[in-house]
Amino acid sequence: MRFDIVTLFPDCFHSVLSSGLLGKALAKQIAQVHLVNPRDFTTDKHRKVDDEPYGGGVGMLMKPEPIFAAVESLPILPRREVILMSPQGQTINQPLLRELVTNYDQLIVICGHYEGVDDRVLNLVTREVSLGDFILTGGEIPSMALINGVVRLLPGTVGKVESLKAESFEEGLLDFPQYTRPADFRGWKVPDVLLSGNHAEIAKWRFQQQIQRTASRRPDLLSKWQKEREQGDGEMGRRGDGETRGRGENEE
């Protein structure tokens, strides 16, 4: 997958892109990240990328010309998405990351700054994406989160594919608590079931912990998960009694 990041501050990406699994994935060419600075596409001697908003207001807006020129300078892959990092966009979540991995070969990510971008930039954009309901000084940090979340789902990035399946949000629930050695640390002991070697009981305990943790920390997620499960059971029921019984036997 190819990422093209349109940013006024390309230097802030270098450490992130060279560290950890992300750095290894880029070194193995699992993905490519290209940084393009809209300031390089200005035509005035001051290399101006911002200006005052029409109608008055506080702060400055990024001008459309340098952004358009930067994006239009990039190669065009057949399956391409042009993303504006914006607090008005859809919030990054696991289904979104999986959609991007599945459906696109090129993600162009525009990092806003100042008070935002001239609204005509939206004529370039196919999707607005947000890190959450809060405001940062620019789109660089959210774009790093997006890159990291997408690249780790690409084949070859994570050594054990199973670890991608058993984690928070993949099944609609938060992850279960996990422990490693020592078994007793300052009086806090690892639950006995995890030391038992009984894999069926361990799986049961972990699922119960997922339910409890999600109910405590994210009741909104639990409610959504329960509704989706009820709808799934309803779909199975409409297919016929025989299929429904077969499903129940498999779950046991």
Side-chain angles (χ1 to χ4, degrees):
M1 176 174 282
R2 176 185 173 109
F3 294 85
D4 292 286
I5 313 300
V6 180
T7 171
L8 293 173
F9 301 94
D11 289 348
C12 70
F13 285 85
H14 295 320
S15 176
V16 172
L17 297 179
S18 61
S19 303
L21 282 178
L22 182 56
K24 292 178 181 178
L26 298 181
K28 292 191 291 186
Q29 295 290 298
I30 292 172
Q32 300 177 9
V33 178
H34 302 270
L35 304 170
V36 55
N37 192 335
R39 198 177 297 279
D40 295 335
F41 296 86
T42 54
T43 57
D44 65 297
K45 65 178 181 180
H46 298 296
R47 305 180 72 200
K48 191 174 179 62
V49 294
D50 63 323
D51 212 329
E52 298 174 353
Y54 281 119
V58 178
M60 307 287 278
L61 289 177
M62 290 184 69
K63 294 163 59 67
E65 308 100 300
I67 296 176
F68 268 79
V71 172
E72 290 169 352
S73 74
L74 299 171
I76 300 175
L77 275 63
R79 302 196 306 164
R80 180 174 84 154
E81 187 86 319
V82 181
I83 296 171
L84 173 65
M85 303 309 302
S86 164
Q88 300 181 41
Q90 67 181 111
T91 304
I92 296 175
N93 55 27
Q94 206 62 24
L96 171 61
L97 297 178
R98 289 207 170 275
E99 178 190 348
L100 296 175
V101 167
T102 302
N103 296 333
Y104 300 100
D105 300 315
Q106 180 184 22
L107 300 180
I108 298 174
V109 184
I110 301 171
C111 301
H113 245 278
Y114 310 117
E115 291 300 312
V117 302
D118 185 299
D119 208 62
R120 289 167 289 188
V121 170
L122 295 182
N123 290 294
L124 274 176
V125 171
T126 54
R127 189 193 300 260
E128 293 182 75
V129 173
S130 170
L131 192 56
D133 296 335
F134 52 90
I135 308 298
L136 300 175
T137 57
E140 282 74 20
I141 291 175
S143 70
M144 292 176 195
L146 183 71
I147 295 169
N148 190 294
V150 170
V151 171
R152 71 182 295 275
L153 294 178
L154 293 173
T157 298
V158 176
K160 295 182 179 180
V161 178
E162 293 80 5
S163 66
L164 295 176
K165 300 176 182 178
E167 57 189 9
S168 293
F169 307 115
E170 282 298 332
E171 298 298 332
L173 298 171
L174 298 183
D175 201 2
F176 47 79
Q178 300 195 64
Y179 303 85
T180 187
R181 293 174 178 81
D184 186 338
F185 173 67
R186 297 186 179 181
W188 295 304
K189 296 181 179 181
V190 174
D192 291 338
V193 65
L194 298 180
L195 307 176
S196 68
N198 188 326
H199 297 293
E201 287 300 315
I202 290 172
K204 181 179 178 181
W205 179 86
R206 285 176 168 172
F207 180 66
Q208 291 171 342
Q209 290 296 311
Q210 283 188 277
I211 297 292
Q212 293 175 17
R213 179 166 285 192
T214 307
S216 172
R217 302 182 183 183
R218 290 292 303 276
D220 58 314
L221 283 181
L222 182 62
S223 177
K224 180 180 178 182
W225 177 81
Q226 289 171 331
K227 289 179 181 178
E228 290 176 350
R229 197 175 190 191
E230 289 169 1
Q231 291 172 356
D233 289 343
E235 289 293 330
M236 292 300 297
R238 285 193 290 273
R239 293 175 189 171
D241 291 342
E243 291 188 25
T244 304
R245 283 196 298 270
R247 182 174 182 271
E249 291 167 2
N250 289 335
E251 287 182 338
E252 290 175 2

